Every structure is written in C-alpha cells, then in structure tokens.
Amino acid sequence: MSGTTPSGTERTSPSGHHHQPEANREHEPLLGRPEDVVRSEDQSLAYNLIQGTAPLAQVGGWVLLILVWASVLTHNMIFFDGHPMFNSLAILFAIEAVLVLQPTGMYNMVQKQRGAYAHATLAALAGASFLIALVIVIWHKQYSHFPHFESIHSKFGAATYALVVAQALVGVTQLFTPQIYGGEENAKKLYKYHRFFGYTIILPMLLVTVILATKTYYGGRVLHIKTWAVVLAEIAIVAGIYPRVKASKLRGNRANAADAAAAAVSG
C-alpha cells in the first residue's frame, strides 16, 4: 500500500516507488526542491530575496543597474539620461517584487498577506520609476523635436509600458478592490492568469527591451553599453527567478486559491 504517513513523510509502495507528499507537490518549483520556495514561520520576509536561486537574480539585476548607471555617470550627462537610469532601477524593483512573493508559508495566511503588501510596495516603486522614465523620454522627444517610435526599441518599449500598466492595474484591483470582480473569490480565480502573464509576457518583454536599447545609437554609440554584458546579466536574472516558480500556482490549484499574495507583476 502506498501513500503518506500522518506526519506527511514519504512512504514507499511495494513496487519500490516513492510517493511525494501532497503538500510538497503543491509547493514544488519548476526546478529545485520545495524548500527552495517555501518559507518557514520563523524566517524573515527578507529571506525570500536570497532563498534558493534568488541570489542569481539579485546579481543579474544589480549588474544590469550598475552597467547602465556607470555608463551614464561616466559621460557628459543630459536630461535624457534619466530614461535608462530610471528604467534600470524599475527593473530592479520589479525583480525584488517577484522574489519577495515567490516563497510563502504553506498554510500561514499572515505570511501571505505580508508578502502581498511587500510585493505591492516594491511593484509601486517599479511603477513610479517606469513612469518617470516614460515622462523623460516623451519630454525629450517633444523638446528636441525628434520623431517618436523610430527604432524597434522605442516601439517594443511602448508596448511594454502599456502591458506593464495593464498588469499593474489588474494586480492592484485584485488585491485591494476585489469587489469589482464580484468578490474576493472571483478575484482569486484570476490570480493564475496574472502570474502566467507576468512570467511569460511582462518579464521577457522588459528584458528584450533592454537588449534592444543597446542596439540604438544612444545606447550603443554614446553610452557604450555592451549587448553581451546585458545578455549575461539577464541570463542570471532568468536563472534566478524561473526555477523558483511554483507550477501549482500557474495551474491555479484550489489549495493556493487563498493566496492573496498571488497578485504579482510576475510572481
């Protein structure tokens, strides 16, 4: 006979196959072990930022920020330089917002609520930074009488900004005003789509937009930001975030439906 013991440990069937406890399967990440994405009750919320593969994402995010800021600060700065600076800062905040939300306690609703508010705060900082970067580039184009949407980067970036706004609006309303969806339960049903959209659309588009920026005249010829360096930093970001994704959350299992912290930019 196979199954689990009352304590939740594994049991072995007569055929020799090991059966993983249901709780572990619910919290199992795409890569790695369940303990890489589950925070115990006595751990600080800040531990989420370095748990499992998170240090890779931290290194990638900070390297990307330093690449941009160092390039800007080592040449004669102009007003437009705020655009890449605030965009890179926004991406770092977005990474932190995802990382802080991914590991949550199995059944601790207090943890989940704190994670949700921490995520919302970091996502708000990312959104504010994106907004400043957008205002800077619009003002610069208008003031300098430069045409809009000349490069692939600008077109891709505009689409990315629009999707980020849509994702943020859904996340905020799901968490803080679920009544517009007909109640909290209905809002929770949409969490899996919000996560899926963040992981498969928003984050990839952000990273691709940065790569395309290195191919523009200003990014490549003036700031001298190397494409290969950006790609390496982004590989680290991807390697740090995606292995911690809980497959059960993407499937929207009922066991995780009560997770109010699921309203994430990509988390």
Side-chain angles (χ1 to χ4, degrees):
M1 195 170 176
S2 61
T4 60
T5 65
S7 62
T9 57
E10 288 188 3
R11 294 181 63 180
T12 306
S13 67
S15 62
H17 293 94
H18 292 275
H19 296 268
Q20 194 175 28
E22 185 66 26
N24 282 351
R25 288 200 299 271
E26 289 174 2
H27 292 269
E28 187 174 2
L30 295 180
L31 294 173
R33 304 161 299 173
E35 53 265 36
D36 291 336
V37 291
V38 176
R39 184 166 63 93
S40 63
E41 294 185 20
D42 59 344
Q43 287 177 330
S44 167
L45 191 64
Y47 185 69
N48 292 2
L49 301 175
I50 58 172
Q51 190 174 10
T53 57
L56 287 173
Q58 294 285 8
V59 170
W62 280 100
V63 167
L64 187 62
L65 181 78
I66 291 171
L67 281 173
V68 173
W69 284 56
S71 297
V72 168
L73 296 175
T74 53
H75 88 291
N76 294 326
M77 293 182 62
I78 61 174
F79 179 76
F80 176 75
D81 287 325
H83 177 69
M85 293 177 76
F86 276 100
N87 270 331
S88 61
L89 182 62
I91 291 175
L92 181 62
F93 280 133
I95 291 171
E96 304 297 344
V98 173
L99 294 177
V100 79
L101 190 60
Q102 283 179 323
T104 53
M106 286 186 180
Y107 309 110
N108 191 323
M109 294 305 297
V110 174
Q111 271 191 14
K112 293 175 181 180
Q113 186 178 47
R114 288 174 180 171
Y117 290 131
H119 163 76
T121 300
L122 290 164
L125 291 172
S129 299
F130 278 132
L131 179 60
I132 294 172
L134 177 60
V135 170
I136 288 173
V137 71
I138 291 175
W139 185 90
H140 175 73
K141 293 277 188 176
Q142 292 295 116
Y143 180 81
S144 304
H145 304 290
F146 292 150
H148 294 276
F149 310 118
E150 276 192 305
S151 66
I152 297 177
H153 165 72
S154 62
K155 296 173 184 176
F156 208 85
T160 303
Y161 278 136
L163 292 175
V164 166
V165 170
Q167 179 80 339
L169 286 175
V170 172
V172 168
T173 54
Q174 282 178 320
L175 185 60
F176 296 106
T177 58
Q179 59 269 25
I180 69 174
Y181 298 99
E184 188 174 348
E185 285 304 313
N186 286 338
K188 289 174 182 177
K189 292 176 182 178
L190 299 177
Y191 286 169
K192 64 179 179 180
Y193 302 108
H194 187 66
R195 294 185 194 98
F196 185 81
F197 190 72
Y199 283 125
T200 62
I201 304 295
I202 299 296
L203 184 56
M205 287 189 70
L206 286 174
L207 299 182
V208 171
T209 301
V210 179
I211 294 174
L212 292 175
T214 67
K215 297 298 184 181
T216 63
Y217 177 83
Y218 197 79
R221 301 284 186 86
V222 177
L223 296 182
H224 302 291
I225 300 176
K226 303 300 181 183
T227 304
W228 63 265
V230 169
V231 170
L232 287 178
E234 293 187 353
I235 288 174
I237 293 171
V238 170
I241 289 178
Y242 285 91
R244 302 201 323 167
V245 176
K246 294 180 184 178
S248 60
K249 282 191 174 184
L250 294 180
R251 292 192 299 266
N253 285 9
R254 291 298 299 170
N256 290 293
D259 188 356
V265 168
S266 58

